Amino acid sequence: MRPISLVLLVCLLGCAPSRPELAPTAVPALADTAAERGLGKVVAVTGVVAQVKTRAQHGFAYLNFGAPYPGQSFSVLIPDSATARFGDLERLTGRRATATGRVWLQDGRWPAMTLTDPAALVVAP
């Protein structure tokens, strides 16, 4: 191998500066029963959707994880203006799902997340 080829090969394999700002940021994963630990943070919360309320009050559809309201461990709120993008929400009842977003405390009692992008809600097959 020619010396110039060797130098080029070494530079291509190990001399290029790393770009940590381009590395994907890991999102912490939590179970629905531990969602409160993610308050104020962007996390991925996974659990079983126990109840779907599509015609709920205040302009939101609700996905209650763990148990139906008022015993839920975590809730996902979807504004009425975004529900059509999620398709048939009723199909989620009894399914395992992961919601990714910022956790907040609903009514000062329940950890919750508001989603407007269907990509933030992944349903297990």
Side-chain angles (χ1 to χ4, degrees):
M1 186 174 262
R2 294 184 177 158
I4 191 78
S5 298
L6 184 58
V7 170
L8 285 173
L9 180 61
V10 170
C11 282
L12 287 174
L13 293 177
C15 294
S18 64
R19 303 278 310 257
E21 69 275 5
L22 298 179
T25 304
V27 175
L30 297 172
D32 59 316
T33 55
E36 196 163 341
R37 290 190 307 181
L39 283 176
K41 301 174 189 164
V42 174
V43 298
V45 178
T46 301
V48 175
V49 178
Q51 180 185 39
V52 176
K53 296 174 97 179
T54 56
R55 298 273 184 226
Q57 57 184 329
H58 306 297
F60 289 91
Y62 288 79
L63 307 178
N64 291 320
F65 286 61
Y69 175 85
Q72 78 273 21
S73 54
F74 171 72
S75 295
V76 169
L77 285 73
I78 302 171
D80 286 345
S81 61
T83 55
R85 292 191 297 258
F86 285 82
D88 177 23
L89 291 173
E90 295 290 339
R91 79 186 192 291
L92 303 177
T93 304
R95 306 271 311 270
R96 188 166 194 75
T98 301
T100 303
R102 188 169 310 278
V103 177
W104 53 278
L105 209 53
Q106 179 184 11
D107 297 332
R109 298 172 60 185
W110 298 289
M113 186 181 293
T114 303
L115 299 181
T116 57
D117 182 0
L121 183 66
V122 178
V123 182

